[in-house]
Amino acid sequence: MPPAKPAPTGPRAASRPTLRDVARTLGVSVATVSNAYNRPDQLSEDLRGRILAAARDLGYQGPDPLARSLRRGRTGVLGVVYDAPLEYAFADPAAALFLGSVTRAVQDRDLNVLLLAAPHDPQADATLAVRNASVDGFIVYCAAEDSPLLRAVLSRALPTVLVDQDPQPGSAHVGIDDAGGAQEAAAHLLDLGHRQLGALCLELAGDRHPGPVSAAREAQIAYRTTAQRIRGYRAAAAAHPDAALHLMEAGQNTPADGEALTLDLLRAHPEVTGVVCMSDVLAQGALRAAATLGLRVPGDLSVIGYDDLPSSGALNLTTVWQPTPDKGAAVGAALLALLDGQEAAPVTLPTRLVVRGTTAPPRGPRVPAT
């Protein structure tokens, strides 16, 4: 007779405890234990407490989330696709406000948000994270119209909300009146008597070419927000035949980019007396550049931003207000409607000019910047 095998030891010596083991220990049904985790409102606090305590004693960690999502056909996760490197989402105040309002809109449904950003390496497969993401739906925030990320999202055929982009079949759309806000900003400077305007633009396309915008570069615009705001600036300038508009493209939406662009702009075009910026962040950089050159704002240079961030009031910055929290709430509501099998009507939110202390009539020719 062969010798008996030694008893197994280590982590595999005993099988993992299950929900059924907890039910057997307490003498309750499996459904009752399941309710303690999935439908706690169906149990008294005392009974749920005893179930969770027994589970801890047995080493039961709760229902397997993957198995639960397979049973339900839902993951409880929404993918937010951001067509920029991950840290940009946290460095851009407007993006942070938007993401916060989205999460508040969906948290009552016990939904979580997964941020899917573009990779740093331009040679990397930008679509891999989107194609592999276990999510119930997507929110696409400011992607280029030709973005591989956008194409990957649409190919998944999941409930999708596009933000600040051209509508696509089968997707909901939420945006703002980008062109109207930009036109109002440029018109304000023109009404004050400015005729030589600079415009600090967000990225025109994903390949990033910071600096002066040529006609050929402008023809390559792939971001709807940038295209609409340029359209608004040009519409305002068209009403004044003697007006000139000098476009500068930022590599990133940072104060450093705004400062560098403004320095380059004023050195190339010292006749410029007013600058419209496609973000308050770029406008902060424009204010820094004016200080570096010894220019008074608004005496020597008028500056207008876009967004009306919480910090812009303290800077006394004239800017275009957009309802960022309302936009995030509208996006959340639209995606929840799609998840419930309902239609989500397109939403375009208003913008308006907020006049503060960084704009005034030009005081005449100034000393060229050096």
Side-chain angles (χ1 to χ4, degrees), residues 20 27 31 33 35-37 42 56 64 67 71 75 83 96 100 146 176 181 215 229 272 299 301 366:
R20 193 174 299 278
V33 178
N35 283 341
Y37 292 94
Q42 301 297 307
R56 283 194 300 271
D64 184 292
R71 286 194 301 271
T75 65
D83 197 7
D146 60 352
I176 64 170
R229 294 181 188 181
V272 166
L301 184 70
R366 56 178 173 77

Side-chain angles (χ1 to χ4, degrees), residues 46-256:
D46 176 69
L47 177 55
R48 183 170 187 259
R50 288 194 291 116
I51 291 172
L52 296 180
R56 283 194 300 271
D57 292 342
L58 289 171
Y60 177 63
Q61 301 299 318
D64 184 292
L66 179 58
R68 182 167 51 187
S69 66
L70 289 173
R71 286 194 301 271
R72 293 179 174 178
R74 292 283 179 90
T75 65
V77 178
L78 306 177
V80 178
V81 178
Y82 200 77
D83 197 7
L86 187 59
E87 73 272 10
Y88 185 86
F90 299 98
D92 180 4
L97 282 172
F98 170 77
L99 292 171
S101 60
V102 168
T103 57
R104 285 190 292 273
V106 302
Q107 64 186 3
D108 288 344
R109 294 277 290 269
D110 293 327
L111 294 170
N112 293 299
V113 171
L114 174 66
L115 192 56
L116 303 168
H120 268 287
D121 184 357
Q123 303 302 318
D125 184 355
T127 69
L128 188 62
V130 168
R131 289 187 283 110
N132 291 337
S134 295
V135 297
D136 296 327
F138 287 106
I139 296 166
V140 183
Y141 184 62
C142 294
E145 297 306 318
D146 60 352
S147 166
L149 282 173
L150 178 58
R151 293 197 298 270
V153 167
L154 297 177
S155 71
R156 292 285 303 272
L158 291 173
T160 298
V161 180
L162 305 179
V163 186
D164 294 332
Q165 293 175 222
D166 288 328
Q168 299 285 342
S171 301
H173 171 262
V174 175
I176 64 170
D177 183 11
D178 280 296
Q183 183 171 350
E184 192 175 4
H188 173 62
L189 290 181
L190 292 163
D191 290 345
L192 289 172
H194 296 269
R195 289 297 179 268
Q196 294 291 327
L197 304 184
L200 304 192
C201 304
L202 298 169
E203 297 166 68
L204 273 70
D207 52 353
R208 293 185 183 177
H209 284 285
V213 177
S214 65
R217 178 63 176 172
E218 189 172 349
Q220 298 173 347
I221 293 182
Y223 288 100
R224 182 181 187 275
T225 294
T226 305
Q228 290 293 309
R229 294 181 188 181
I230 289 177
R231 184 167 71 85
Y233 296 150
R234 290 205 182 283
H240 300 270
D242 57 340
L245 182 65
H246 308 281
L247 303 181
M248 303 288 288
E249 178 181 359
Q252 288 186 307
N253 183 32
T254 67

Side-chain angles (χ1 to χ4, degrees), residues 309-363:
L309 298 173
S311 60
S312 296
L315 293 173
N316 204 22
L317 177 67
T318 296
T319 186
V320 177
W321 169 86
Q322 67 158 305
T324 302
D326 293 342
K327 181 164 66 174
V331 168
L335 191 50
L336 291 177
L338 295 178
L339 290 171
D340 290 339
Q342 303 170 6
E343 291 189 5
V347 175
T348 300
L349 297 168
T351 57
R352 68 169 182 269
L353 182 68
V354 179
V355 178
R356 295 192 179 105
T358 58
T359 52
R363 294 184 182 178

